[in-house]
Amino acid sequence: MANEPVKVFSIYLKERLSFDGTLGYNKVLSYVLQDLSAQVQEQISPLPRSSKLFKFTPGSCLYPANENAWRAHKLNRMNVPLISSLPIDIVSVRAYTPKEQNKIEKKEDLYGMRVGHLIGSAAKAVLGEEDKIGYYGITSEEKLFIMLEKGRLNALLGFHPDALMTQERLGLNEAHFSNHYSVFEVSVSLLCRDTASNRRLIDSVNKRIIEARFSGKLQEYLGRHAILALSLIHI
Protein backbone atom coordinates (compact mmCIF):
# COMPACT_ATOMS: atom_id res chain seq x y z
CA MET A 1 0.00 0.00 0.00
CA ALA A 2 1.27 3.48 -0.85
CA ASN A 3 0.77 4.91 2.64
CA GLU A 4 2.11 1.93 4.54
CA PRO A 5 4.90 3.05 6.91
CA VAL A 6 8.47 1.92 6.36
CA LYS A 7 9.46 -0.69 8.92
CA VAL A 8 12.76 0.08 10.65
CA PHE A 9 14.16 -2.94 12.49
CA SER A 10 16.40 -1.54 15.20
CA ILE A 11 18.99 -3.75 16.86
CA TYR A 12 18.84 -3.90 20.65
CA LEU A 13 22.28 -3.02 22.01
CA LYS A 14 22.68 -3.14 25.78
CA GLU A 15 24.79 0.00 25.96
CA ARG A 16 23.55 1.97 22.97
CA LEU A 17 19.99 1.15 21.85
CA SER A 18 17.33 0.28 24.40
CA PHE A 19 13.70 -0.77 24.33
CA ASP A 20 12.71 2.36 26.27
CA GLY A 21 14.32 4.71 23.76
CA THR A 22 16.71 6.42 26.18
CA LEU A 23 20.18 5.53 24.86
CA GLY A 24 22.46 7.13 22.27
CA TYR A 25 21.40 5.37 19.10
CA ASN A 26 17.73 5.78 20.12
CA LYS A 27 18.21 9.52 20.43
CA VAL A 28 19.99 9.75 17.09
CA LEU A 29 17.23 7.84 15.28
CA SER A 30 14.52 9.98 16.89
CA TYR A 31 16.36 13.11 15.83
CA VAL A 32 16.93 12.12 12.20
CA LEU A 33 13.34 10.84 11.83
CA GLN A 34 11.68 13.78 13.57
CA ASP A 35 10.03 14.93 10.33
CA LEU A 36 8.99 11.41 9.34
CA SER A 37 7.46 9.86 12.46
CA ALA A 38 4.15 9.12 10.72
CA GLN A 39 5.96 7.41 7.83
CA VAL A 40 8.13 5.06 9.88
CA GLN A 41 7.33 2.15 12.19
CA GLU A 42 10.20 1.03 14.43
CA GLN A 43 10.57 -2.43 15.94
CA ILE A 44 13.42 -3.16 18.38
CA SER A 45 14.75 -6.72 18.63
CA PRO A 46 18.04 -8.52 19.35
CA LEU A 47 20.49 -8.69 16.45
CA PRO A 48 19.55 -12.16 15.08
CA ARG A 49 15.83 -11.36 14.94
CA SER A 50 16.30 -7.84 13.53
CA SER A 51 18.55 -9.20 10.78
CA LYS A 52 16.05 -11.94 9.91
CA LEU A 53 13.14 -9.49 9.82
CA PHE A 54 15.09 -7.14 7.56
CA LYS A 55 16.04 -9.98 5.23
CA PHE A 56 12.47 -11.16 4.77
CA THR A 57 10.55 -7.84 4.88
CA PRO A 58 10.38 -5.98 1.55
CA GLY A 59 10.93 -2.22 1.74
CA SER A 60 12.34 -2.31 5.27
CA CYS A 61 15.39 -0.80 6.98
CA LEU A 62 17.92 -2.01 9.55
CA TYR A 63 19.54 0.19 12.21
CA PRO A 64 22.35 0.63 13.10
CA ALA A 65 24.10 -1.30 10.34
CA ASN A 66 26.83 -1.42 7.70
CA GLU A 67 26.02 -3.09 4.39
CA ASN A 68 29.36 -4.86 3.93
CA ALA A 69 29.48 -6.15 7.50
CA TRP A 70 25.86 -7.27 7.35
CA ARG A 71 26.30 -9.11 4.06
CA ALA A 72 29.48 -10.80 5.37
CA HIS A 73 27.37 -13.08 7.54
CA LYS A 74 26.27 -16.05 5.44
CA LEU A 75 22.75 -16.06 6.92
CA ASN A 76 22.18 -12.49 5.72
CA ARG A 77 23.02 -12.95 2.06
CA MET A 78 20.31 -11.80 -0.31
CA ASN A 79 20.34 -10.59 -3.87
CA VAL A 80 18.56 -7.25 -3.48
CA PRO A 81 19.92 -3.69 -3.83
CA LEU A 82 20.43 -1.73 -0.61
CA ILE A 83 21.04 1.93 0.21
CA SER A 84 22.57 3.55 3.28
CA SER A 85 22.33 6.90 4.99
CA LEU A 86 25.43 8.96 5.68
CA PRO A 87 27.64 7.54 8.46
CA ILE A 88 26.51 8.03 12.04
CA ASP A 89 29.66 6.82 13.77
CA ILE A 90 32.51 4.31 13.53
CA VAL A 91 32.30 0.86 15.12
CA SER A 92 35.21 -1.56 15.34
CA VAL A 93 35.73 -5.04 16.72
CA ARG A 94 38.65 -5.37 19.12
CA ALA A 95 40.24 -8.46 20.61
CA TYR A 96 40.19 -8.21 24.40
CA THR A 97 42.40 -10.33 26.68
CA PRO A 98 42.89 -10.38 30.47
CA LYS A 99 45.47 -7.82 31.60
CA GLU A 100 47.82 -10.57 32.77
CA GLN A 101 48.00 -11.78 29.14
CA ASN A 102 49.64 -9.99 26.24
CA LYS A 103 47.48 -7.81 24.03
CA ILE A 104 46.40 -9.24 20.68
CA GLU A 105 48.47 -7.43 18.06
CA LYS A 106 47.57 -9.56 15.02
CA LYS A 107 45.16 -12.29 13.96
CA GLU A 108 47.78 -15.00 14.42
CA ASP A 109 47.94 -14.21 18.15
CA LEU A 110 44.45 -15.73 18.44
CA TYR A 111 45.47 -19.12 17.04
CA GLY A 112 44.84 -21.93 19.53
CA MET A 113 42.74 -19.71 21.79
CA ARG A 114 39.17 -19.99 23.06
CA VAL A 115 37.67 -16.84 21.59
CA GLY A 116 34.21 -15.56 22.46
CA HIS A 117 32.06 -13.54 20.06
CA LEU A 118 28.51 -12.23 19.89
CA ILE A 119 26.07 -14.59 18.20
CA GLY A 120 24.85 -13.00 14.98
CA SER A 121 27.70 -10.53 14.60
CA ALA A 122 29.99 -10.49 11.58
CA ALA A 123 33.18 -10.75 13.65
CA LYS A 124 33.62 -14.50 13.26
CA ALA A 125 32.81 -14.44 9.54
CA VAL A 126 35.29 -11.64 8.87
CA LEU A 127 38.10 -13.12 10.98
CA GLY A 128 37.65 -16.69 9.72
CA GLU A 129 40.37 -19.28 10.47
CA GLU A 130 37.88 -21.63 12.16
CA ASP A 131 40.38 -24.47 11.97
CA LYS A 132 42.86 -22.45 14.05
CA ILE A 133 40.64 -20.44 16.42
CA GLY A 134 38.19 -21.97 18.88
CA TYR A 135 35.08 -19.81 18.57
CA TYR A 136 32.37 -19.64 21.23
CA GLY A 137 29.16 -17.79 20.39
CA ILE A 138 27.70 -15.87 23.34
CA THR A 139 24.48 -13.85 23.58
CA SER A 140 25.82 -10.63 25.15
CA GLU A 141 29.04 -8.70 25.70
CA GLU A 142 28.25 -8.73 29.41
CA LYS A 143 28.43 -12.54 29.41
CA LEU A 144 31.58 -12.42 27.28
CA PHE A 145 33.41 -10.37 29.91
CA ILE A 146 32.18 -12.58 32.74
CA MET A 147 33.42 -15.70 30.92
CA LEU A 148 36.75 -13.99 30.22
CA GLU A 149 37.08 -13.04 33.88
CA LYS A 150 36.36 -16.62 34.95
CA GLY A 151 39.00 -17.98 32.58
CA ARG A 152 36.53 -19.80 30.35
CA LEU A 153 37.74 -17.73 27.40
CA ASN A 154 41.27 -16.67 26.44
CA ALA A 155 40.02 -13.69 24.47
CA LEU A 156 36.81 -12.04 23.29
CA LEU A 157 35.83 -10.09 20.21
CA GLY A 158 34.04 -6.99 21.46
CA PHE A 159 32.45 -4.13 19.61
CA HIS A 160 34.02 -0.76 20.35
CA PRO A 161 32.85 1.42 22.03
CA ASP A 162 30.12 -0.94 23.30
CA ALA A 163 32.53 -3.28 25.07
CA LEU A 164 34.31 -0.39 26.76
CA MET A 165 30.95 0.90 27.99
CA THR A 166 30.07 -2.59 29.27
CA GLN A 167 33.31 -2.77 31.24
CA GLU A 168 32.63 0.59 32.84
CA ARG A 169 29.05 -0.30 33.74
CA LEU A 170 30.15 -3.59 35.33
CA GLY A 171 32.96 -1.88 37.18
CA LEU A 172 35.54 -4.09 35.47
CA ASN A 173 39.01 -3.05 34.44
CA GLU A 174 40.57 -6.44 33.93
CA ALA A 175 40.69 -6.69 30.14
CA HIS A 176 42.64 -4.72 27.58
CA PHE A 177 43.06 -4.45 23.81
CA SER A 178 45.60 -3.09 21.37
CA ASN A 179 44.89 0.20 19.63
CA HIS A 180 46.94 -1.12 16.72
CA TYR A 181 44.75 -4.11 15.83
CA SER A 182 41.08 -4.42 15.02
CA VAL A 183 39.23 -7.32 13.39
CA PHE A 184 37.34 -4.77 11.33
CA GLU A 185 36.26 -1.15 11.44
CA VAL A 186 33.14 0.16 9.72
CA SER A 187 30.88 3.17 9.60
CA VAL A 188 27.31 2.48 10.68
CA SER A 189 24.14 4.02 9.35
CA LEU A 190 20.50 3.44 8.55
CA LEU A 191 20.52 0.60 5.98
CA CYS A 192 17.46 0.18 3.76
CA ARG A 193 16.12 -1.79 0.84
CA ASP A 194 16.53 0.36 -2.26
CA THR A 195 13.04 1.62 -3.08
CA ALA A 196 11.72 4.98 -4.25
CA SER A 197 10.16 5.72 -0.86
CA ASN A 198 13.32 4.70 0.97
CA ARG A 199 15.45 6.96 -1.23
CA ARG A 200 13.25 9.86 -0.11
CA LEU A 201 13.58 8.65 3.49
CA ILE A 202 17.38 8.49 3.23
CA ASP A 203 17.54 11.98 1.69
CA SER A 204 15.65 13.41 4.66
CA VAL A 205 17.71 11.43 7.19
CA ASN A 206 20.98 12.59 5.60
CA LYS A 207 20.04 16.25 6.04
CA ARG A 208 19.44 15.64 9.75
CA ILE A 209 22.69 13.67 10.16
CA ILE A 210 24.68 16.55 8.70
CA GLU A 211 22.84 18.98 10.95
CA ALA A 212 23.44 16.84 14.06
CA ARG A 213 27.10 16.28 13.17
CA PHE A 214 28.01 19.94 12.83
CA SER A 215 25.84 21.18 15.72
CA GLY A 216 27.52 18.74 18.13
CA LYS A 217 24.30 16.87 18.85
CA LEU A 218 25.62 13.63 17.34
CA GLN A 219 28.54 13.46 19.78
CA GLU A 220 26.28 14.57 22.62
CA TYR A 221 23.77 11.80 21.96
CA LEU A 222 26.36 9.04 21.36
CA GLY A 223 28.65 9.91 24.29
CA ARG A 224 32.36 10.49 24.82
CA HIS A 225 33.47 7.01 23.70
CA ALA A 226 31.79 7.27 20.28
CA ILE A 227 34.09 7.83 17.31
CA LEU A 228 32.56 9.98 14.59
CA ALA A 229 33.62 9.51 11.00
CA LEU A 230 36.35 11.88 9.85
CA SER A 231 34.29 12.43 6.72
CA LEU A 232 30.79 11.69 5.54
CA ILE A 233 32.05 8.81 3.38
CA HIS A 234 31.42 5.17 4.32
CA ILE A 235 34.18 2.76 5.26
Side-chain angles (χ1 to χ4, degrees), residues 157-225:
L157 305 178
F159 281 93
H160 184 81
D162 305 57
L164 193 57
M165 297 164 75
T166 297
Q167 278 206 108
E168 288 188 354
R169 178 173 54 81
L170 295 176
L172 300 175
N173 190 31
E174 301 304 318
H176 58 180
F177 64 91
S178 172
N179 287 316
H180 305 295
Y181 175 69
S182 62
V183 176
F184 66 80
E185 185 174 286
V186 296
S187 55
V188 299
S189 63
L190 177 66
L191 177 65
C192 298
R193 302 287 195 100
D194 189 356
T195 66
S197 60
N198 282 349
R199 285 194 290 274
R200 292 191 294 271
L201 171 71
I202 292 295
D203 285 344
S204 178
V205 165
N206 285 345
K207 292 175 184 176
R208 289 295 187 181
I209 290 175
I210 293 171
E211 180 182 285
R213 171 67 183 272
F214 292 105
S215 70
K217 285 186 179 293
L218 203 54
Q219 192 76 63
E220 175 189 339
Y221 290 151
L222 295 175
R224 62 189 178 92
H225 292 309

Side-chain angles (χ1 to χ4, degrees), residues 105-123:
E105 301 288 351
K106 57 186 183 300
K107 177 171 66 173
E108 289 75 13
D109 292 343
L110 293 168
Y111 289 176
M113 286 189 173
R114 299 187 303 277
V115 179
H117 67 95
L118 282 176
I119 294 173
S121 80

